[in-house]
Amino acid sequence: MTHKILIVDDNEAERFLIHRTLKKLGIKECQIMEANDGEEGYDKIYTEVPEVVLLDINMPKMNGLEVLKKVKATMDTPPPFI
């Protein structure tokens, strides 16, 4: 089973740095996914079912706090958010 990590950040450079840092830390057996904004992140949480979500707070369309509240209100067992 492949573990899944979702990075949700509207800044492409930040997503790249986080992705690279995870790989350097030895997290190689995980599938690292990315979302460009809160709406895309929210959708991927349901379609991809990540085991952890690295979530930016300040994003367009839907900010990180809105994503967190919406997931917690609609999902029985939401993934941990960082």
Side-chain angles (χ1 to χ4, degrees), residues 47-80:
T47 59
E48 301 295 335
V49 192
E51 292 175 59
V52 67
V53 179
L54 304 175
L55 182 65
D56 184 23
I57 297 297
N58 189 16
M59 294 182 290
K61 297 184 182 178
M62 185 186 303
N63 70 43
L65 293 176
E66 293 169 327
V67 172
L68 182 60
K69 286 178 187 176
K70 193 170 179 181
V71 169
K72 286 188 172 196
T74 58
M75 204 171 196
D76 290 334
T77 309

Side-chain angles (χ1 to χ4, degrees), residues 11-12 35 37 74:
N11 185 317
E12 185 177 1
D37 58 50
T74 58

Side-chain angles (χ1 to χ4, degrees), residues 4-51:
K4 296 180 181 181
I5 297 172
L6 176 60
I7 303 167
V8 184
D9 197 316
D10 60 318
N11 185 317
E12 185 177 1
E14 291 292 328
R15 289 193 315 271
F16 174 80
L17 288 172
I18 293 167
H19 193 127
R20 188 177 70 175
T21 301
L22 291 171
K23 292 294 183 184
K24 282 187 174 186
L25 289 171
I27 301 175
K28 295 181 170 98
E29 300 301 318
C30 290
Q31 178 184 357
I32 300 173
M33 304 167 295
E34 298 180 9
N36 298 314
D37 58 50
E39 285 181 357
E40 183 181 355
Y42 177 77
D43 291 340
K44 283 192 175 186
I45 289 167
Y46 282 91
T47 59
E48 301 295 335
V49 192
E51 292 175 59

